[in-house]
Amino acid sequence: MGGYGDVKLLNDDGSRLDGRAIDEMRPVEIRAGVLPVADGSAYVKHGLNEAIVAVYGPMEAHPRRIQLQDQAVLDVRYNMAPFSTSDRIRPGFNRRSREISKVTAEALSSVVLVERYPRSKIRVEIEILSAEAGTRCVGITAAAVALADAGIPMRDLLVGVAAGKVEDTVVLDLDKAEDNYGQADLPMGIMPATGEIAFMQMDGDLSMDELNTAVEYCFKGAADIYELQKAALKDRYNGGDSQ
Amino acid sequence: MGGYGDVKLLNDDGSRLDGRAIDEMRPVEIRAGVLPVADGSAYVKHGLNEAIVAVYGPMEAHPRRIQLQDQAVLDVRYNMAPFSTSDRIRPGFNRRSREISKVTAEALSSVVLVERYPRSKIRVEIEILSAEAGTRCVGITAAAVALADAGIPMRDLLVGVAAGKVEDTVVLDLDKAEDNYGQADLPMGIMPATGEIAFMQMDGDLSMDELNTAVEYCFKGAADIYELQKAALKDRYNGGDSQ
Amino acid sequence: MGGYGDVKLLNDDGSRLDGRAIDEMRPVEIRAGVLPVADGSAYVKHGLNEAIVAVYGPMEAHPRRIQLQDQAVLDVRYNMAPFSTSDRIRPGFNRRSREISKVTAEALSSVVLVERYPRSKIRVEIEILSAEAGTRCVGITAAAVALADAGIPMRDLLVGVAAGKVEDTVVLDLDKAEDNYGQADLPMGIMPATGEIAFMQMDGDLSMDELNTAVEYCFKGAADIYELQKAALKDRYNGGDSQ
Amino acid sequence: MSTQTVPQLLRQQLAILAESDQRIDGRGRWEMREIDLEVGCLYNAEGSAKVTWGDTVIYAGVKFEIRTPYDDRPAQGSLMCGSELRPVAHRKYDPGPPSPESIELGRVVDRGIRESGCIDMANLCIVPGEKVWMVVIDIHVLSDGGNLFDAAGLAAIAALRNATVPAARFDVGEDYQLPVSLTPIMTTFTRVGGRLVYDANEEEELGGDERVSVTLGDTGAMHSMQKGLKGTFTPPELAEILDVAAEHCKNLRELVDSKVN
Amino acid sequence: MSTQTVPQLLRQQLAILAESDQRIDGRGRWEMREIDLEVGCLYNAEGSAKVTWGDTVIYAGVKFEIRTPYDDRPAQGSLMCGSELRPVAHRKYDPGPPSPESIELGRVVDRGIRESGCIDMANLCIVPGEKVWMVVIDIHVLSDGGNLFDAAGLAAIAALRNATVPAARFDVGEDYQLPVSLTPIMTTFTRVGGRLVYDANEEEELGGDERVSVTLGDTGAMHSMQKGLKGTFTPPELAEILDVAAEHCKNLRELVDSKVN
Amino acid sequence: MSTQTVPQLLRQQLAILAESDQRIDGRGRWEMREIDLEVGCLYNAEGSAKVTWGDTVIYAGVKFEIRTPYDDRPAQGSLMCGSELRPVAHRKYDPGPPSPESIELGRVVDRGIRESGCIDMANLCIVPGEKVWMVVIDIHVLSDGGNLFDAAGLAAIAALRNATVPAARFDVGEDYQLPVSLTPIMTTFTRVGGRLVYDANEEEELGGDERVSVTLGDTGAMHSMQKGLKGTFTPPELAEILDVAAEHCKNLRELVDSKVN
């Protein structure tokens, strides 16, 4: 996290610079089945973030040394398109994207019924087309929908959502300015039906009380996104978008 | 292509700066069997370009995932030696050499009887020792001779030759100045016996009429190089150069 | 080697800047069995150099193409930790470390009874934690002890030791200043029991007579280090250091 | 779908269809699939386009960077066009360094645009000898349903024509629209069932042979050609496809025109 | 020990032990293994520490480089923390480019230190706008006996607190001790036999599930968290481990204090 | 011919031949194969040589670049020597990043030349502290018929002695011949059939053991040595080959002298 109090992030009435309430999310839009050749796919727009996810598989895991005897491997790639940020990003993986790919794969492995597909591989390709703040959460939300669209059985959908701290106040869903100048960021991956946490990172400065509030906000936000995920899938099965 | 008319490339009598006629090639010299340990090899000097090609195989294609069930794979590498150009080139492949390797492999696959050697691999190593302009064509001319020298059956030899446009005039076989300051370049890979085109690229600016003339010049040049290719192979089988 | 006579490296009484005699080594300390999870390990401090070596194996050699039908492969990596030198080194292999890894592997293959383990691999991981001068020799000394600690059968231990030339005088075991400003460096890998040479490099300027003296000094130094190697292994089997 | 399985049955089927002048998806020999073009669709790109071309989906994004000019062209900016053929786009693509296919795609699109002269590099100079703009076009393939070349070429030129030079963000003046004077268009022909057809789809590419791509400029001149894959063609075949190309280029150019400005 | 063999027998054994609140090495659920901390042990590093934590052995070394500051922070230095998980550390590690495990380890340790604010970047300025120090912490794992995160975090902060800025060697003044105002400490919990335990050893990691790491600062505030590996946990479980973490962080901070200054 | 097949039959044959002091190609123990040296043969290189040494064919090319000198040697140029052991040279070589064999070859040739002092780095200064020449020697192996080291070393020094500093092309004066005051020569010995022989050919290397290379300068002093591959030797064996080396170095130096100037 960047500065501490040197940038004003809350209005005098306690609302945020973009007018949102403390526990209000940016607008979210979800569509399933957006890519013709993938086995499953999803598009998520969250604030100004845009992510598209393609799922391929289950398929034979090769090379054989990556196979697991009793479960499927989730081969997840989180990738930011070169034009997805203000300054162009050189194509290819970097340390940040490798870490996000790893923890995202581990989170998704916790909800997919991987034991149904021993020795196989499920590819999850997360492409960030526009980045505002919170892309790893948007990628998780989209990946869960794309996995469901591909017919991969899961214990629950997984929702990516973040809370944070700005001007000593806990808020839901940091936008770009809040991310740059805020005091803490807590991205989570939540299974709304069971209340489990499959993904969590944090950096900044957060007391135990603040953490509790932030987690509570995340669960609240997750519940809302969960409904949009389910609606997108329902729409898809009712003959909705296939591009 | 570089400039357009800002450099003088034709003499007042219509001849070119090095005295060649519009449809005249630079001098070409071809030798087969120049490398002791390769299965087949060839040397081509074309103008100031020099290329050496080694062929190895057919051999088992490994790793197995590159095997084709019903034909041989041509594994072609086009490489410019670090000292082959005015400014030293860092060793290793770059985007240009990868593209040339790909389209050269595809062109050679069109003339080699690859279906004779299912699951196998034929390696074609094109090394450019001196570059003037038109090295991809020189590499193709040399590769065809080296493949024949290795005893690989082919439908025909393949000839690499280029035409281009300078000062609004179509000319055969651009030299370095013409390549740098000309208006178009059209490298082709021609099977002289059948009149087929196995390789073609173009960049610059060329009307349909100019294209027709350029193609015609290329076929004319190819016929001449074809004779030199056959002579080199004949010379080799008659106990000629083995280095 | 760097300068020639422009830096004073010998005192007026013929002793060296750090007080050592011409044929005197820096202090050496050796311990076996210093890493808990390795199959064998050793620590060597030689002057200000510090190296730790871990040995794993014999184990199945994979991928299969690296297997040798009638002997084990020694897979040796010489690596300098980023903080081992005055200026930080970027992590990862460079040309120098690859060459040292290669010749060290070849030297160790000459003393290990590799024919006892066909198709298998023995990994030798040499980590330089602090570098003063002569790290490749320190790595060899430590690797031999770690191999013995892992129970790998060997014809003899191998000792890494160097001689050199400063101010036209042959000396044993160059330190950093002598290495930087001396006239020649001769690192050797010696089997003290048989008098064989398994490793040798040289650079600088050395007459035949000087070479003979330098080799003689190296053998003398090797005999001393050999005793320390054997003592470390004896200490280890008598219930010594396992950390 | 790996390159290891050569789809002989598909090849036979395509050959039989070709005999009666038919294609596997019912199109005519020179008929294009349905396409959709959106421009300005990417928030952080200075120019952008999304092309949906049959089952192919491609985004192109334009970004600008400030560079020191080359010594021999102190008052000229530069252009770079790259493509990413990432595993998202098809089951057959692997992760890893750029494949030859990906490199070829980027370079062919690059040459078509560069050689058309649609961007005057002198317009990209900020301070001669010191600062010039580099225009970077990134082609991002999300779904490979066949004929990537034409879809990528279309996305690239549409994104360029939609681009704004972000001078304000770089503190070198006010934003202005990137001047793009021409609209080069690529058309690609593939040998399917023994004859060349326009705009091959995924199955036709899988069971087909060589590919010939031609980029034509506003006046009908050729700016780039590229023959790829195994197979050969003859000069009369080349003449035939150039005629077809001219017609399609005209229509596609009108489509671009209708979406920008 | 490849990831291919999922050790079902070990998992069963760990589950049975957990039922009677036991661990495979006899420790209590929240009990730490024996650890040893040495500082200043590396000759060429400007700060260094060696941590022996059960069968885990890790060195951390601090080096300094002079850099041009970033445009938007002309009077601030920078910090970089990387880890090398090389084949020396375990039979299971392969050579090659940094693995995701290695990258995650370095980045999590980096965030814990960076976000604690223990180093005031303004203290690393030499000449504003021209020269600032970059502090580089390299974590070198020599033996992976489990719980690398906590051992690496401890080695990193101990090496920093032991570090001297080598101003003399770079001709920019006299050497001085790097000011480090706080001592962030990481604690890691792993699900073993169905319940979360502190400081898992090698076998517990092999037969266990998800890992949760928390870095706490001197005042008890959280500075970083990271959940890794397959598995989930609940908010009440999080609350429980945070209590345990606070106690261990305090003790480990005292250990560091006892070794430096 | 992969390293996996250890050619036991060949080893036996070589051992039997050695017993009667014979070699597989009929040469004497210390006899060299036929060699040919051409200089100035590469159009774009500033210095070049082609060595044909038995079935081994190697080109060396010299290029010049202008660099900023190192801080501690402001008036000295630099030298770099690299080798490419590419798949063209033998069926056994794979494409990919430089192999250890390729790196060793380049570094051993580099040390022989550098340590001989044949190039006075002060002669490569253009403007002290600002511009110096870097001499780059690239060794390009086209056919590996055995004893690459000696052939590469010969090509490198011959190319250097043939080199012209391209000052005019870089606008820093007039071209002049690169001053090379000495002619270091490498000789390599290989254990074949149990004894060391000079100039092993391809089969002898395949069925042989360790290799010892020595570079001698004009006055007979050693400038580099390198022992490679599995095997050992004794001090008396070293003394014996050094005598043979001296004789061959003299002859090869005369060959170089006869081709340049």
Side-chain angles (χ1 to χ4, degrees), chain B residues 63-191:
Chain B
R64 197 172 296 180
R65 63 180 166 73
I66 69 159
Q67 288 185 2
L68 296 181
Q69 299 308 311
D70 56 355
Q71 55 188 280
V73 172
L74 257 63
D75 183 20
V76 176
R77 264 170 295 280
Y78 163 97
N79 181 59
M80 297 188 78
F83 43 69
S84 63
T85 49
S86 183
D87 289 336
R88 177 173 180 266
I89 299 174
R90 281 173 60 107
F93 284 100
N94 52 40
R95 289 169 54 88
R96 177 181 170 274
S97 65
R98 285 197 191 276
E99 186 199 349
I100 294 176
S101 296
K102 177 181 189 289
V103 291
T104 301
E106 292 163 349
L108 293 171
S109 297
S110 311
V111 297
V112 168
L113 297 177
V114 286
E115 52 281 5
R116 295 268 181 95
Y117 304 103
R119 291 192 176 79
S120 63
K121 177 170 78 170
I122 298 167
R123 276 174 37 195
V124 180
E125 312 288 348
I126 301 173
E127 298 287 332
I128 306 299
L129 299 176
S130 293
E132 198 208 350
T135 56
R136 71 193 71 188
C137 288
V138 179
I140 285 171
T141 298
V145 175
L147 282 161
D149 181 46
I152 309 286
M154 291 190 279
R155 291 169 52 212
D156 192 3
L157 289 172
L158 185 63
V159 178
V161 62
K165 182 166 117 182
V166 298
E167 292 196 26
D168 293 326
T169 305
V170 175
V171 299
L172 176 61
D173 190 27
L174 300 183
D175 65 19
K176 181 146 197 208
E178 293 171 336
D179 188 52
N180 284 351
Y181 301 105
Q183 295 159 291
D185 186 20
L186 173 78
M188 296 184 75
I190 290 171
M191 297 163 67

Side-chain angles (χ1 to χ4, degrees), chain F residues 10 20 34 66 76 109 129 144 160 166 168 184 197 212 236 240 257:
Chain F
L10 177 59
S20 53
E34 205 170 313
I66 290 182
Q76 303 219 326
V109 172
D144 177 2
L160 276 178
V197 304
V212 182
E240 185 178 29
D257 285 341

Side-chain angles (χ1 to χ4, degrees), chain B residues 36-37 39 48 50 52 54 56 77 79 82-88 91 93 123 125 127 129-131 243, chain F residues 41-45 50 55 59 61 63 65 84 86-91 93 95 136 138 140 142-144 169:
Chain B
V37 309
D39 295 327
L48 295 170
E50 286 186 88
I52 283 189
Y56 293 93
R77 264 170 295 280
N79 181 59
F83 43 69
S84 63
T85 49
S86 183
D87 289 336
R88 177 173 180 266
F93 284 100
R123 276 174 37 195
E125 312 288 348
E127 298 287 332
L129 299 176
S130 293
Q243 179 47 236
Chain F
C41 47
L42 292 168
Y43 172 67
N44 273 317
K50 177 187 179 187
D55 281 352
Y59 283 82
K63 297 294 294 177
E65 298 178 0
E84 289 198 87
R86 306 196 60 262
V88 67
H90 201 282
R91 179 184 285 261
Y93 295 124
V136 186
D138 283 293
H140 208 68
L142 285 187
S143 180
D144 177 2
R169 181 156 64 86

Side-chain angles (χ1 to χ4, degrees), chain E residues 99-121:
Chain E
S99 64
E101 286 72 23
S102 167
I103 290 170
E104 185 190 18
L105 175 59
R107 286 176 62 86
V108 171
V109 172
D110 182 296
R111 285 199 289 267
I113 287 174
R114 182 185 305 275
E115 300 292 337
S116 76
C118 66
I119 295 179
D120 183 347
M121 296 299 169

Side-chain angles (χ1 to χ4, degrees), chain C residues 28-68:
Chain C
V28 177
E29 180 190 333
I30 304 181
R31 277 185 291 145
V34 298
L35 294 177
V37 307
D39 295 326
S41 60
Y43 165 87
V44 173
K45 181 163 190 175
H46 182 135
L48 295 170
N49 294 299
E50 286 186 89
I52 284 188
V53 174
V55 168
Y56 292 94
M59 57 177 75
E60 203 196 336
H62 69 105
R64 198 172 294 180
R65 64 180 164 74
I66 69 159
Q67 287 184 2
L68 296 181

Side-chain angles (χ1 to χ4, degrees), chain A residues 34-39 43 48 50 52-54 56-59 62 75 77 79-89 91-93 123 125-127 129-132 243, chain D residues 41-46 50 52 54-57 59-63 65 80 84 86-96 136 138-140 142-145 169-170 202:
Chain A
V34 298
L35 295 177
V37 308
D39 295 326
Y43 164 88
L48 296 170
E50 285 186 89
I52 283 189
V53 174
Y56 293 94
M59 58 177 77
H62 70 103
D75 183 20
R77 264 169 296 279
N79 181 60
M80 298 187 78
F83 43 68
S84 64
T85 49
S86 183
D87 289 336
R88 177 173 180 266
I89 298 174
F93 285 100
R123 276 174 37 194
E125 312 288 348
I126 301 173
E127 298 287 332
L129 298 176
S130 292
E132 197 208 350
Q243 176 45 238
Chain D
C41 47
L42 292 169
Y43 172 67
N44 274 316
E46 268 86 39
K50 177 188 179 186
T52 306
D55 281 352
T56 289
V57 180
Y59 283 83
V62 175
K63 297 294 294 179
E65 297 177 1
M80 188 173 97
E84 289 198 87
R86 306 195 62 260
V88 67
H90 201 282
R91 179 183 286 261
K92 70 186 169 188
Y93 295 125
D94 292 316
V136 186
D138 282 294
I139 293 164
H140 208 68
L142 285 187
S143 180
D144 177 1
R169 182 157 63 84
F170 285 89
E202 189 187 346

